[in-house]
Amino acid sequence: MGVVAGVDMQHGEIRREEVMTHVMFALNSAREGQQDNLWFYNTQLHASEELANYIESHMNRALQHGEFKMFLQPKIELKTGKLVGAEALVRWIKADGTMIFPNQFIPLFEQNGFSVELDMYMVEQVCRQIRFWMDSYGVSIPISVNQSKLLFYQDNYVEKLCELIERYQVPARMITLEILEGLAMEDARGLNDRLLELKEKGFRISMDDFGSGYSSFNTLSSLDIDELKLDRGFLMEMHGSRRERQQLILEQIAQLAGKMNITTVAEGVETREDEEIILQAGCDYGQGYYYSRPIDAQVFTEIYF
Ligand code: C2E
Ligand code: CA
Ligand code: CA
């Protein structure tokens, strides 16, 4: 391998040990690469590798110490402006108060399998929250929770969910499980059997990020889902030159879903104009910064209960 490791000195003076770390890092990157190459130490690459190392070596302790926090983002009924539910989104808040966002650790956890534990932990937080609202206010709203595909390959997945709702005495219909369409591409039949099992227990099923990637109407017809979450991409495209086409597509999806008894939620509603667009298209619910960013569950309670 014709490798030369180099050090990018753009940040001025660096110490000898650091230089060695950087050189080792550049060499490692080169070894992992496919072809002969000239590798330079790259600050950004190193930073993301460092973060990945941090994440993997601290995830277990973080879970035990309660560093994974449930944030909630409201789901609003477009016709009435009423709160109809919330989505649980995880945040990793380190002991020093800094926050790591899910995009930085969820992909890693899906690779190393930790998302099985974390997602179940989140379902438990959701159950706790619903229980708390019911006990304190006599009412609750349903909460949606993201489920990684690894869960669907666990033999005891449904049992574990049932154990949790039993323990917290929460009706299954108060919990919506958000799944990604990619899962259906791998084994639509197997997935649908699982979904039917979950629905039999009373859980609601939502398909997340519809319209991103390889969404197809096939999966819509072959899967028994209750809700369709339209990816933020739809609204982003609305501001470009393809606005009219996009509007038409959105309308057709909302109409078709309606006929199939599937509710539609538009994601990424950021402005009043966005809300107008999705309302016109016939979507049922909206979620996005226009209503609220995801917020700490306690703050959410203070605002909405
Ligand atoms: P998602 O499920 O599609 O969640 C929606 C993401 O869009 C959230 O990012 C939310 O903060 C963001 N968002 C909401 N409204 C707006 C808006 O109006 N504009 C823009 N630009 N963004 C908006 P977040 O919380 O960073 O989560 C990112 C992704 O990480 C989620 O995407 C989900 O796939 C994953 N994730 C989050 N929590 C969990 C979890 O507990 N388990 C699993 N498996 N995945 C999770
Ligand atoms: Ca989601
Ligand atoms: Ca989504």
Side-chain angles (χ1 to χ4, degrees), residues 73 87 90-91 102-103 119 146 208-209 232 268 270 288-289 294:
Q73 188 178 37
E87 177 174 5
V90 67
R91 299 286 181 265
N103 286 342
D119 285 358
N146 293 285
D208 205 355
D209 294 351
R232 189 163 80 87
E270 292 186 346
Y289 296 168

Side-chain angles (χ1 to χ4, degrees), residues 38 46 87 91 100 149 172-173 179 193 196 204 221 225 236 246 249 261 279 305:
L38 177 65
H46 193 177
E87 177 174 5
R91 299 286 181 265
I100 314 181
K149 73 171 183 182
R173 67 182 156 75
I179 59 165
D193 289 347
L196 287 172
R204 298 188 77 248
S221 72
I225 54 164
M236 285 162 73
Q246 284 295 113
I249 292 173
N261 249 341
L279 188 61
F305 279 81

